[in-house]
């Protein structure tokens, strides 16, 4: 596998751009092929069977693009499909959940950790499982915050309505005396300031997007896949709504995105039959 081959990054839509953005900042030599499943978003309330099927179709698309590693930028897909995908492809596959959980376990002082995410991520219990495995002393409190995603997509980032919604969701955490909160959904790092204000700046906020880019760098080095030459021709693909995607992307990415391309993801099989490397 050539070190100049791209990194495949996928998400249910625009949210994974927070992960792509971190990869661009931390690993500027790496070229990204991004797929946002904008036609089938949200993933957060879908069954595991459906998320695995969608993820496999996307992985087949990315393998066709000869990616040298895959980042599942979506927390829900990482929680529900990572193991199955990992078992079926030979390129490294990295999800966002484990890097976020590891960072939370290392940063907590009082062992009270909160997790916020979609219904799928929270009810999977994956963060709770990984955290308890790394430190049996830890108490983990999960809460689904489904309204955060549409608020971010609407662009209501610093809005009084978003502040009120955040207060309603996060109030319990104040009573639970957490000292660390994992922003366990792609969109939540964009609400960091609001969440920090609601929690009166008393809680460490862990951003899995940042931690995942760090982990990706370590994996690329350890597998001899790290690119030493600059290659910035990133490509972006979506399954619907190119204009919304372009506008959102250009609001958060460090590089200007010219044009995402629309593809029909249903043309790709949900069986990973062999790698097109
Ligand atoms: N990308 C999803 C996640 O991180 C949030 C949006 C959705 O529900 O699809 O869980």
């Amino acid at each position: 596998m050539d070190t100049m081959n791209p990194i495949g990054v996928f998400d249910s839509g625009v949210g994974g751009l927070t992960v792509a953005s971190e990869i661009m900042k931390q690993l500027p030599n790496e070229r990204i092929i991004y797929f946002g499943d904008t036609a089938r978003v949200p993933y957060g309330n879908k069954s595991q069977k459906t998320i695995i099927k969608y993820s496999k179709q996307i992985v087949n698309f990315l393998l066709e693009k000869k990616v040298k590693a895959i980042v599942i930028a979506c927390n829900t897909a990482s929680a529900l499909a990572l193991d199955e995908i990992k078992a079926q492809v030979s390129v490294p596959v990295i999800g966002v959940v484990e890097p976020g959980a590891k960072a939370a376990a290392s940063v907590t002082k009082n062992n009270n950790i909160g997790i916020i995410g979609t219904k799928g991520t929270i009810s999977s219990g994956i963060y709770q499982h990984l955290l308890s495995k790394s430190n049996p002393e830890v108490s983990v409190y999960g809460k689904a915050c489904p309204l955060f995603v549409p608020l971010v997509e609407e662009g209501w980032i610093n809005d009084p309505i978003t502040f009120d919604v955040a207060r309603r969701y996060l109030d319990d955490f104040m009573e639970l005396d957490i000292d660390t909160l994992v922003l366990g959904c792609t969109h939540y790092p964009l609400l960091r300031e609001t969440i920090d204000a609601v929690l009166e700046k008393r809680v460490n906020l862990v951003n899995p997007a940042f931690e995942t880019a760090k982990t990706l760098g370590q994996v690329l080095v350890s597998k001899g896949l790290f690119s030493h030459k600059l290659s910035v021709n990133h490509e972006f693909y979506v399954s619907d709504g190119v204009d919304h995607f372009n506008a959102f992307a250009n609001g958060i990415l460090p590089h200007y995105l010219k044009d995402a391309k629309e593809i029909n993801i249903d043309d790709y099989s949900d069986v990973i039959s062999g790698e097109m490397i």
Side-chain angles (χ1 to χ4, degrees), residues 11-12 41-44 74-76 118 149 185-187:
D11 177 49
S12 55
V41 67
Y43 281 10
C74 178
N75 282 259
T76 310
T118 63
V149 168
C185 170
T186 46
H187 292 60

Side-chain angles (χ1 to χ4, degrees), residues 29-82:
N29 287 353
E30 302 299 339
R31 186 159 65 89
I32 293 175
I33 307 276
Y34 183 96
F35 178 77
D37 200 358
T38 43
R40 305 188 291 198
V41 67
Y43 281 10
N45 48 17
K46 293 195 169 73
S47 70
Q48 183 167 28
K49 194 178 87 195
T50 299
I51 301 300
I52 289 175
K53 175 183 161 192
Y54 290 176
S55 299
K56 285 184 175 172
Q57 288 180 303
I58 298 167
V59 165
N60 276 330
F61 165 71
L62 293 173
L63 291 174
E64 194 182 273
K65 294 277 176 195
K66 303 195 184 320
V67 295
K68 63 181 177 184
I70 293 174
V71 175
I72 305 186
C74 178
N75 282 259
T76 310
S78 298
L80 302 177
L82 175 70

Side-chain angles (χ1 to χ4, degrees), residues 155-208:
W156 295 4
I157 307 277
N158 290 311
D159 191 284
I161 292 181
T162 308
F163 188 88
D164 285 347
V165 171
R167 199 158 46 194
R168 183 111 173 229
Y169 280 141
L170 304 175
D171 252 4
D172 294 350
F173 286 125
M174 299 298 266
E175 276 150 44
L176 294 166
D177 189 33
I178 59 158
D179 72 349
T180 302
L181 180 71
V182 180
L183 307 177
C185 170
T186 46
H187 292 60
Y188 300 179
L190 298 171
L191 296 177
R192 191 182 184 109
E193 269 177 43
T194 303
I195 293 169
D196 205 22
V198 167
L199 297 173
E200 298 169 358
K201 299 188 189 297
R202 293 200 317 222
V203 171
N204 302 306
L205 300 180
V206 173
N207 177 1

Side-chain angles (χ1 to χ4, degrees), residues 213-266:
K214 227 165 77 183
T215 303
L216 172 65
Q218 291 158 357
V219 170
L220 293 177
V221 169
S222 76
K223 306 262 180 206
L225 292 171
F226 187 83
S227 168
H228 293 280
K229 248 172 94 198
L230 190 66
S231 165
V232 287
N233 295 319
H234 307 299
E235 293 171 33
F236 293 84
Y237 297 87
V238 292
S239 46
D240 197 10
V242 168
D243 292 343
H244 173 68
F245 184 88
N246 286 340
F248 198 97
N250 284 320
I252 64 169
L253 289 179
H255 301 295
Y256 184 72
L257 155 67
K258 279 184 253 73
D259 260 327
K261 292 187 188 67
E262 188 176 316
I263 61 155
N264 186 359
I265 197 64
D266 275 322

Side-chain angles (χ1 to χ4, degrees), residues 13-27:
V14 295
L17 291 166
T18 54
V19 180
S21 173
E22 284 298 338
I23 296 172
M24 288 175 188
K25 286 183 209 155
Q26 292 184 38
L27 305 168

